Every structure is written in C-alpha cells, then in structure tokens.
C-alpha cells in the first residue's frame, strides 16, 4: 500500500513555481511569485492531448474573465504544449488558450504540490485557489477518469478573489436552497 501524500492544503503557503511555460504564442519562464497580490487558479492535469483535459481547459478559457489568473500545469514538455495549444478543437487541441501552460518535465512542481500519481509520471486532476498573499484557500482533487468541476473551481476562485480585509472571511456554500431533515423520522428541522 502506498503512503498517503501530505499537503499542501488550505491554510498553507503555496510552494513556489519556476518553470518554462508556453504562453499564448511563445515560450517564457513562468514564476508564481510574479502573480503576488492576485488570486490564482492553479490547475494540474495529467496529460497534454488527453481526452478530458482539453475539454476542461477550453471551458476554463470560456468561463474566465479577462482579469482572472489561471495557470495550467502538467508533466508534458513545453513543445507538446505549443502543439496542443495551436491544434484545432476537432483535433483534440485547445485552439489558443491565453493562460500559461507550465511544463513540469522534472516533476518537481507536481511533487511539491503532492499531486503526482506515484510511479506514473503524471498528475491527478487538481485545482488550487491561491490568494494574493500566496496562501492556499482551496484544493480539489480527482483521480484520472474523473473530470474536475470547472464551474465549481470558477465559483470558488470568484469568491476568494472578492475577499478583502474588511469582508467576512466566510464563504457561502453556493447552494440556492438546502432542506435539512432529522436522521430519525424524516422531520424537517
């Protein structure tokens, strides 16, 4: 049985990221610390040209607002990311998302975030919401055959990005209505 990996979790500082990324149409060095003061959605996905990842990344692109900060990370090479980003949707490509596609070929980023699937060379599907101070506010992770809740990641991102020092730091559940029932007898509370 494999050991359970620990952290980083909400309330912890996000490990720094420094790696080559494909951003829009060129290769650039990406540094997470360059986004200090901004809320960031970090999205780890297993493989470029996978069957679920393009759908999720294209949906993120379509849902995100112009000033949203999204960073997508996988263990694929920067050259694969370039080809994937320029491929048409019907070819399984992304058709030009405008956020960084970070290459973690050394797997050190995935290891520091504890999202690397042991012995596989690729990551679990995971999103982190990191606030402007670099603290992880949310973490959500699924095994490979399950997609992430992209609309949920966007909802949490929007909540975290609107928090300020003067606001109540609690976040609502996002549910429009909840009915509670007692466990015995089914009476409403």
């Amino acid at each position: 049985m494999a050991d359970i990996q620990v952290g980083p979790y909400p309330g912890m500082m996000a490990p720094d990221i420094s790696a080559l990324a494909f951003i829009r149409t060129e290769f650039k060095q990406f540094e997470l610390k360059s986004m200090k003061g901004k809320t960031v959605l970090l999205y780890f996905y297993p493989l470029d040209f996978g069957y679920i990842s393009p759908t999720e990344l294209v949906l993120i692109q379509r849902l995100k607002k112009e000033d949203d900060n999204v960073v997508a990370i996988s263990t694929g090479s920067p050259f694969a990311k370039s080809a994937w980003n320029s491929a048409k949707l019907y070819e399984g490509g992304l058709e030009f998302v405008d956020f960084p596609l970070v290459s973690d070929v050394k797997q050190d980023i995935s290891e520091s975030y504890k999202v690397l699937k042991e012995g596989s060379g690729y990551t679990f599907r995971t999103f982190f919401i990191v606030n402007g101070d670099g603290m992880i506010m949310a973490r959500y992770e699924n095994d490979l055959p399950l997609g992430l809740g992209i609309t949920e990641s966007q909802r949490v991102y929007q909540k975290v990005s609107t928090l300020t020092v003067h606001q109540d730091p609690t976040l609502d559940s996002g549910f429009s209505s909840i009915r509670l029932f007692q466990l015995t007898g089914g009476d409403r509370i």
Side-chain angles (χ1 to χ4, degrees), residues 12-162:
M12 299 172 75
M13 297 304 289
D16 196 23
I17 296 172
S18 178
L20 189 60
F22 187 75
I23 305 173
R24 292 191 171 93
T25 59
E26 60 188 350
F27 298 103
K28 291 183 179 178
Q29 186 68 17
F30 174 81
E31 306 278 338
L32 182 60
K33 63 185 171 191
S34 71
M35 302 185 106
K36 186 169 176 54
K38 301 174 183 175
T39 302
V40 179
L41 167 63
L42 294 177
Y43 170 71
F44 286 85
Y45 62 96
L47 299 166
D48 300 327
F49 289 100
Y51 64 97
I52 296 175
S53 303
T55 306
E56 293 176 332
L57 289 168
V58 168
L59 183 58
I60 289 171
Q61 176 67 40
R62 290 182 178 167
L63 292 176
K64 80 180 204 66
K65 296 181 172 97
E66 189 172 324
D67 60 344
D68 287 354
N69 301 291
V70 176
V71 178
I73 305 163
S74 83
T75 57
S77 80
F79 305 107
K81 293 175 187 332
S82 170
W84 193 34
N85 198 32
S86 60
K88 300 288 184 195
L89 293 174
Y90 65 84
E91 298 171 327
L94 301 178
E95 205 166 292
F96 301 107
V97 297
D98 65 2
F99 46 83
L101 299 172
V102 175
S103 176
D104 184 23
V105 291
K106 295 179 184 174
Q107 302 174 1
D108 55 338
I109 300 167
S110 302
E111 185 58 42
S112 69
Y113 277 84
K114 304 298 184 203
V115 298
L116 193 62
K117 185 170 175 80
E118 188 175 322
S120 71
Y122 50 83
T123 68
F124 291 105
R125 296 179 193 289
T126 311
F127 76 73
F128 292 87
I129 308 294
V130 179
N131 73 8
D133 295 326
M135 182 180 291
I136 296 170
M137 300 293 286
R139 174 186 175 134
Y140 186 84
E141 186 169 33
N142 282 348
D143 203 350
L144 302 181
L146 303 175
L148 284 175
I150 298 305
T151 53
E152 175 65 2
S153 69
Q154 295 293 77
R155 182 190 73 79
V156 175
Y157 176 92
Q158 293 304 322
K159 292 288 185 182
V160 172
S161 66
T162 59

